Amino acid sequence: MDARFDIVVVGAGMAGASLAARLGDRARVLVIEAEDRPGYHATGRSAAFWTESYGGPLVKPLTTASGPELHRLGVLTPRGALTIGRMGQERQIAAFAETYGGVGIEVSTLNRAEIAARIPDLKAEWTCGVLEPSTCDIDVAALHQHYLAAARKAGVDLWLRAGLAAAERIPGGWALALADGRRVGCDVLVDAAGAWADAVAGKAGVHPLGIAPYRRTIAQVAVEPVAPDALPLVLDVGGRFYFKPESGRLWLSPHDETPSSPCDAAPEEIDVALAIDRFEQVVDRPVLRVEHRWAGLRSFAPDRLPVYGFDPQDGAFFWFAGQGGFGIQTAPAAAVLGAGLLLGQEGGEVDPWPFGARRFQR
């Protein structure tokens, strides 16, 4: 073997980098990444916001617990979020406010005039909404670079173009064959491979959990008049769109969730067109042109909660995956929780029980 480590983390996106940064000064850690740069896939294609309601009430503790570190690192910029509904969707808006207000998120219900004051040129049928003033933009690149630098400073090794080719279970751990021809050993194998999480498990002979990738599309568009910088993140209570300002432009998404195989995701023209159509149903502010479009894969376990913990059938295989679209905004708390579980220590302020792999035990 070329080297031996205590822990090998598969994947150098936000999940793998944040976890490695927490582990590096307490174990000998290697992060392996199939691409030629870290964060090429989901991390580099995030919609870049932090909002406590995103992901649902059970994810909320991870988001809230991550807030202080994200503020301390200076990667959050206040934005506010406004979830809106049409006439006839008042009950959905009321339920949204009750659900998230009930778990401690600051929310306020707005009437038509209050919504229109925040969304210029709002069409008449949008009459109700819920404001989350705590929502912020995230500088995803800065956060990812922080974790990569912290991991490097703590002594973590990062090998690029070194995807996992095979994993053999041996006494005391694993013998790993990498795509670049190197072979390494480790005590614990951590699956932080995002859309490839089940594929990595399969290579290790571990039963997949059903973590499935779904494509999400975003388009950057120019509108007339120019989008105001003070515009909040605007989301549809029915889950059909969201949009936010970005340097005088708008980022639009049709909130699509198209099943996909693990791949280098690309946007489909129909999804970009759908995003524009749904946006133009909200405001009288026509889209002049599409300047950029991209897609990323958001990976969910069957119950749509993340999976953090040792596999119930193999105590040397650790899941750190299934983080959907909320992996960026929950990264600090998830890394604390994951590192605590890996090292047999306290995992911070968030209860790990709802996220354990044992919930899928057959």
Side-chain angles (χ1 to χ4, degrees):
M1 287 189 184
D2 295 285
R4 184 169 180 89
F5 297 84
D6 299 319
I7 298 169
V8 171
V9 178
V10 183
M14 190 69 77
S18 60
L19 183 61
R22 297 289 308 186
L23 293 168
D25 59 358
R26 292 176 282 179
R28 190 172 182 214
V29 179
L30 168 66
V31 178
I32 58 174
E33 169 58 52
E35 304 294 344
D36 59 6
R37 68 179 188 271
Y40 175 75
H41 291 286
T43 296
R45 309 178 194 195
S46 168
F49 53 78
W50 179 91
T51 184
E52 291 177 279
S53 63
Y54 201 68
L58 292 178
V59 172
K60 183 264 181 188
L62 290 164
T63 305
T64 300
S66 295
E69 180 171 334
L70 295 173
H71 279 290
R72 179 182 63 80
L73 293 172
V75 297
L76 295 184
T77 303
R79 168 65 58 196
L82 184 50
T83 299
I84 61 174
R86 298 175 185 262
M87 188 179 300
Q89 292 184 306
E90 291 84 1
R91 288 186 179 180
Q92 287 175 259
I93 287 292
F96 183 97
E98 182 179 2
T99 296
Y100 292 106
V103 294
I105 300 174
E106 181 185 355
V107 296
S108 56
T109 303
L110 304 186
N111 60 31
R112 159 71 195 181
E114 292 168 322
I115 299 167
R118 292 167 171 82
I119 307 176
D121 305 313
L122 183 71
K123 291 191 173 181
E125 60 265 35
W126 298 92
T127 59
C128 51
V130 177
L131 180 68
E132 291 178 67
S134 64
T135 294
C136 294
D137 293 338
I138 302 179
D139 187 335
V140 177
L143 181 63
H144 191 217
Q145 288 302 313
H146 161 76
Y147 283 129
L148 291 170
R152 184 168 57 249
K153 184 177 180 181
V156 173
D157 288 293
L158 171 61
W159 294 357
L160 301 175
R161 297 177 294 278
L164 182 67
E168 179 187 358
R169 192 69 163 88
I170 60 175
W174 299 92
L176 309 179
L178 307 185
D180 63 1
R182 285 183 280 190
R183 299 184 65 86
V184 299
C186 65
D187 299 333
V188 176
L189 182 62
V190 174
D191 186 349
W196 286 262
D198 269 7
V200 166
K203 290 177 182 179
V206 172
H207 196 288
L209 298 182
I211 295 175
Y214 297 87
R215 189 178 70 243
R216 170 62 52 87
T217 304
I218 300 177
Q220 178 176 298
V221 301
V223 294
E224 182 64 36
V226 172
D229 289 339
L231 187 72
L233 167 67
V234 180
L235 307 102
D236 173 36
V237 72
R240 298 175 66 251
F241 62 79
Y242 58 77
F243 57 87
K244 58 175 277 192
E246 183 68 25
S247 303
R249 302 299 191 255
L250 280 175
W251 284 6
L252 313 179
S253 174
H255 210 268
D256 50 326
E257 286 193 356
T258 305
S260 173
S261 59
C263 65
D264 185 357
E268 299 283 345
E269 288 298 328
I270 184 63
D271 294 322
V272 175
L274 196 60
I276 294 171
D277 177 66
R278 291 177 177 177
F279 169 74
E280 292 181 341
Q281 292 177 31
V282 179
V283 295
D284 282 315
R285 189 173 288 244
V287 171
L288 301 180
R289 61 187 176 276
V290 176
E291 297 182 335
H292 184 43
R293 67 199 78 193
W294 66 96
L297 297 180
R298 304 156 77 251
S299 303
F300 291 96
D303 60 3
R304 300 183 75 84
L305 293 178
V307 187
Y308 306 133
F310 288 101
D311 186 85
Q313 305 301 323
D314 193 329
F317 188 93
F318 189 90
W319 292 91
F320 200 69
Q323 299 183 83
F326 43 80
I328 308 295
Q329 68 175 36
T330 60
V336 170
L337 187 154
L341 292 172
L342 274 164
L343 300 173
Q345 301 169 354
E346 291 296 323
E349 62 187 271
V350 178
D351 180 6
W353 176 255
F355 312 120
R358 291 186 180 278
R359 69 188 193 267
F360 300 110
Q361 192 167 7
R362 292 170 172 82

